[in-house]
Amino acid sequence: MMADNRQTVFVEAPARLHFGLLDLRGALGRVFGGIGAAAPSPTLLVSAHHAPTVEVEGDDASRAEEFARRFLTFHGLENEQSAGARLHVHRALPPHVGLGSGTQLALAVGRALAELAGISATAPQIAQAVGRARRSAIGTWTFDGGGLVLEGGRRLPGDCVAPLLARLPFPPSWRCVVAVPDATPGINGGAEDAAFARLPLPPEGDAEQISHLVLMALLPAIADGDLATFGATLTAIQAINGRWFAPVQGGVFASGPSEELVQRMAEWGAAGVGQSSWGPTVYGIVDGADAGERLADRVRSLLATSGLTGTVYEGPFRSDGARVWRESPDPR
């Protein structure tokens, strides 16, 4: 337990971008795998302090309470009076748009409760406790730290969180423009399970091609600071993934404005472009702060002139994951 039960624990977690899957076939005993990164913005913010019972308020409170009760039940604390907490979701991520809102909320709630209860737990352990990372572990590993993350897929059968294989820092000059148009939400929940069940198996050589691209082009390019190669490789991976999911999402990208946004960002100089998860969030990567601001402004103008609304974020990739800190009440 913390020395001062009056202290409040704060957890701020970044949105995640899912850049692509490695393998849908699972022929080698592992399925999915993937690459991704923590987005420049937005972030969610959760706080927690000791209370007689579990109470949750703020944005997405019902979902946060579900994750809190899962965490306490997993650790056998659901009936412990000392394990009560008052949680406040000060800022949630937009749900079902491809930014990993559910996983980041679950992990933030779990981390806050672990801090209050004096439980030492890694991000994968928290993910298991709250029932996340059953398919992709990208959100778990971006919560854990920054940079480009590569995870190795889930064992078949098995429920362990997919292992982290590599984490490489992004060059500080690279900028990511993230566009979240107000469009049809991405596939989620039970519909996502059904969508995966309907997907035909990809061609046998696709997983090998993606793995080759990741190992011999994407990772060396980020290590060398070679944005042209990194961007072209990422765009190629997105095209392969898009063909996999086209039967259920209607095309290489989600229906609506996502496809046009991706095409325009590429035309306007983005070295790498793509869609995060099921969308509608899309992104473009450029070099330099000025280039990032120009691309973000052009995307905002496109949304406005097309009669669309949405939010555009721009900045360097995050070099860290979730932040955790404590504050004591004002003695006054």
Side-chain angles (χ1 to χ4, degrees), residues 12 149 179:
E12 183 184 39
V149 297

Side-chain angles (χ1 to χ4, degrees), residues 52 81 127 133 158 167 210 228 270:
Q81 289 187 342
R167 185 192 301 279
I210 289 180

Side-chain angles (χ1 to χ4, degrees), residues 9-14 43-48 64 67-68 71 87-89 91-93 100-116 123 126-127 130 132 139-140 143 322-324:
V9 175
F10 289 84
V11 182
E12 183 184 39
T43 63
L44 65 80
L45 180 63
V46 171
S47 69
F67 295 139
F71 181 87
L87 292 124
H88 189 105
V89 184
R91 184 172 65 245
L93 294 171
S101 63
T103 294
Q104 299 311 301
L105 179 61
L107 293 172
V109 167
R111 171 58 70 203
L113 293 176
E115 293 286 327
L116 287 183
I126 295 173
V130 295
R132 305 301 292 187
T140 300
F143 184 91
R323 294 196 309 123
V324 181

Side-chain angles (χ1 to χ4, degrees), residues 261-283:
L261 286 168
V262 166
Q263 291 175 346
R264 290 296 189 91
M265 283 196 283
E267 293 171 3
W268 292 333
V273 293
Q275 172 181 298
S276 181
S277 190
W278 294 103
T281 293
V282 295
Y283 57 82

Side-chain angles (χ1 to χ4, degrees), residues 6-290:
R6 297 173 300 168
Q7 284 190 321
T8 299
V9 175
F10 289 84
V11 182
E12 183 184 39
R16 70 97 176 94
L17 295 175
H18 199 297
F19 287 159
L21 293 174
L22 304 182
D23 186 1
L24 284 185
R25 297 181 66 90
L28 297 180
R30 287 186 179 272
V31 68
F32 304 123
I35 48 175
S41 292
T43 63
L44 65 80
L45 180 63
V46 171
S47 69
H49 62 265
H50 285 285
T53 59
V54 175
E55 305 170 29
V56 185
E57 59 185 3
D59 297 338
D60 218 352
S62 60
R63 195 156 58 152
E65 181 174 355
E66 177 187 351
F67 295 139
R69 296 194 181 280
R70 285 184 189 177
F71 181 87
L72 295 174
T73 298
F74 182 89
H75 288 283
L77 299 173
E78 67 273 20
N79 297 318
E80 296 287 336
Q81 289 187 342
S82 61
R86 178 170 296 153
L87 292 124
H88 189 105
V89 184
H90 302 268
R91 184 172 65 245
L93 294 171
H96 312 313
V97 297
L99 294 176
S101 63
T103 294
Q104 299 311 301
L105 179 61
L107 293 172
V109 167
R111 171 58 70 203
L113 293 176
E115 293 286 327
L116 287 183
I119 296 172
S120 178
T122 64
Q125 289 169 339
I126 295 173
Q128 286 190 294
V130 295
R132 305 301 292 187
R134 293 176 176 172
R135 184 171 289 115
S136 168
I138 292 297
T140 300
W141 292 116
T142 58
F143 184 91
D144 185 65
L148 178 80
V149 297
L150 167 66
E151 55 101 334
R154 185 169 56 82
R155 280 199 302 264
L156 291 174
D159 60 357
C160 292
V161 176
L164 178 68
L165 302 184
R167 185 192 301 279
L168 292 175
F170 284 93
S173 66
W174 291 11
R175 295 295 186 271
C176 183
V177 174
V178 180
V180 188
D182 292 332
T184 302
I187 300 172
N188 63 88
E192 183 178 34
D193 294 335
F196 272 100
R198 295 200 312 271
L199 285 177
L201 288 178
E204 288 187 7
D206 277 9
E208 289 86 344
Q209 184 179 2
I210 289 180
S211 296
H212 194 197
L213 289 169
V214 169
L215 183 61
M216 298 305 295
L218 195 77
L219 297 185
I222 193 173
D224 283 345
D226 179 358
L227 179 56
T229 299
F230 180 90
T233 304
L234 181 58
T235 303
I237 292 170
Q238 279 278 300
I240 297 171
N241 270 199
R243 292 197 297 270
W244 292 355
F245 294 105
V248 295
Q249 69 178 8
V252 172
F253 299 105
S255 59
S258 298
E259 183 174 13
E260 182 178 2
L261 286 168
V262 166
Q263 291 175 346
R264 290 296 189 91
M265 283 196 283
E267 293 171 3
W268 292 333
V273 293
Q275 172 181 298
S276 181
S277 190
W278 294 103
T281 293
V282 295
Y283 57 82
I285 306 172
V286 296
D287 189 31
D290 290 345

Side-chain angles (χ1 to χ4, degrees), residues 285-301:
I285 306 172
V286 296
D287 189 31
D290 290 345
E293 291 172 3
R294 286 196 301 270
L295 180 60
D297 286 343
R298 297 189 78 167
V299 172
R300 293 186 185 102
S301 296

